[in-house]
Amino acid sequence: MHTLICGSLAYDTIMVFNDRFKHHILPEQIHILNVAFLVPDMRREYGGCAGNIAYNLRLLEGRPLIMAAVGDDCEPYLARLKMLGLDATHVRRVPGTFTAQAFITTDLDDNQITAFHPGAMNHSHENRVGDAKGVNLGIVAPDGREGMLRHAREFHALGIPFVFDPGQGLPMFAGDELMEFLSLADYCCVNDYEAKLLCERTGRPLEALAREVRALVVTLGGNGSRIYAAGQTIDIPAVVPEAVLDPTGCGDAYRAGLLYGIQRGWNWEKTGRLASLMGAIKIAHRGGQNHKPTRAEIAARYRAAWGESLH
């Protein structure tokens, strides 16, 4: 059976400014801001939450299906998906649009200025969960606003359990809409900042929100993660990474581990441990999809980290 990954496919253009923004952005002149940054270092990465989650799930030899919307510039990404063995049957091309993309400029202090163009992502609601066959688990990851609402309702109507992963899309929704997502979803995964915002928007404490789903997972960066399930709180330590190079996509790698464990009916300790490991593997590489461990290598890392078999 397949795991349906509803979310974005995006290009990330990352540029490095070899100075500090504060030397060029004068606070007293902010009302007439007109600056240009010379960026001799630039790279383009394949990203988007759906792309990153599916990539990591494929590393685990899971069976992801991607449901997303892309624009006229999609050919390089589609070719990559084919090369990776990722099914693009449910990736919709929207003529006259660009694929979603972020333009990120980073200075020497790791400050970032980002411009994000959603493009075809705003048409994600044109995709239908019911068109994907052989699916018994899903995730609603950051995507177009209407697409996220529609896909959550469709998963629920079809009786397919799914993870609600609002991510950076969370601010698009009011408290009652977030409560609807939680009433429809079986699982929810947020980082610590998003957890605070979720509580603020809904007016409810985290423990109360956790009772709305089978499990509420909160990632805590270098402090690991916490899983609220069946009235219990399970703390999952972080795995020490080989290097800390780039946090981009670490949350998506973590979610792939969650989906893999849920699909196999594992307990939450084991599921959380695999998710933690996947995030640690990713952070040691730049970009969201440039780490390439085999399933056997992941299993060996899991045993080394946790002293138990992944199988």
Side-chain angles (χ1 to χ4, degrees):
M1 299 295 282
H2 295 280
T3 301
L4 185 62
I5 317 294
C6 296
S8 62
L9 293 177
Y11 294 117
D12 296 331
T13 300
I14 302 165
M15 298 159 282
V16 178
F17 175 52
N18 293 315
D19 200 341
R20 293 171 171 81
F21 293 145
K22 65 183 180 181
H23 295 160
H24 300 264
I25 299 177
L26 305 177
E28 66 275 12
Q29 299 297 321
I30 198 73
H31 63 291
I32 53 169
L33 184 65
N34 187 355
V35 294
F37 303 112
L38 179 65
V39 288
D41 299 317
M42 184 178 83
R43 70 182 194 274
R44 195 183 201 198
E45 302 284 1
Y46 295 96
C49 293
N52 292 343
I53 294 170
Y55 177 84
N56 284 279
L57 193 53
R58 186 76 176 114
L59 291 177
L60 288 164
E61 298 183 358
R63 302 185 66 194
L65 288 177
I66 298 172
M67 181 166 281
V70 294
D72 295 327
D73 55 348
C74 67
E75 288 299 338
Y77 212 142
L78 295 182
R80 174 176 173 78
L81 295 180
K82 183 176 181 180
M83 181 268 292
L84 293 171
L86 289 167
D87 193 325
T89 301
H90 303 292
V91 176
R92 177 184 295 271
R93 299 191 194 203
V94 183
T97 69
F98 290 105
T99 300
Q101 43 204 293
F103 299 90
I104 304 164
T105 303
T106 303
D107 75 357
L108 295 180
D109 290 329
D110 287 330
N111 296 307
Q112 291 186 335
I113 296 175
T114 300
F116 181 74
H117 174 69
M121 195 176 80
N122 285 335
H123 295 261
S124 63
H125 59 278
E126 297 174 19
N127 288 321
R128 298 289 183 271
V129 169
D131 292 341
K133 306 305 178 185
V135 172
N136 67 347
L137 179 65
I139 184 169
V140 174
D143 207 350
R145 172 186 156 80
E146 294 308 313
M148 293 178 70
L149 286 165
R150 178 183 290 275
H151 296 153
R153 292 163 180 163
E154 290 175 347
F155 272 125
H156 182 74
L158 292 166
I160 299 172
F162 74 96
V163 177
F164 174 46
D165 169 28
Q168 63 266 37
L170 196 155
M172 295 189 296
F173 301 103
D176 58 339
E177 292 171 321
L178 292 168
M179 288 305 301
E180 180 186 0
F181 276 117
L182 292 174
S183 72
L184 298 172
D186 295 82
Y187 317 96
C188 178
C189 187
V190 291
N191 65 27
D192 48 351
Y193 172 79
E194 293 156 2
K196 292 183 178 71
L197 185 57
L198 186 61
C199 292
E200 180 183 296
R201 287 285 172 97
T202 61
R204 300 194 185 190
L206 202 59
E207 291 75 14
L209 295 175
R211 291 194 289 270
E212 298 290 327
V213 289
R214 293 168 61 182
L216 173 62
V217 182
V218 181
T219 60
L220 305 168
N223 293 319
S225 55
R226 184 166 293 147
I227 301 175
Y228 300 85
Q232 296 182 310
T233 301
I234 304 164
D235 287 317
I236 306 294
V239 173
V240 178
E242 294 178 345
V244 179
L245 291 183
D246 182 7
T248 304
C250 286
D252 298 327
Y254 184 100
R255 283 149 179 76
L258 280 185
L259 291 167
Y260 189 87
I262 293 170
Q263 181 75 269
R264 280 149 188 78
W266 289 354
N267 62 44
W268 285 110
E269 288 86 353
K270 185 168 186 175
T271 298
R273 288 171 179 175
L274 175 61
S276 180
L277 173 63
M278 294 302 292
I281 290 172
K282 207 294 336 151
I283 204 170
H285 300 79
R286 295 196 184 280
Q289 301 178 21
N290 292 324
H291 50 300
K292 301 176 183 178
T294 64
R295 175 65 165 70
E297 290 169 341
I298 294 171
R301 289 280 303 274
Y302 183 90
R303 179 178 288 278
W306 304 112
E308 63 179 15
S309 172
L310 184 59
H311 301 289

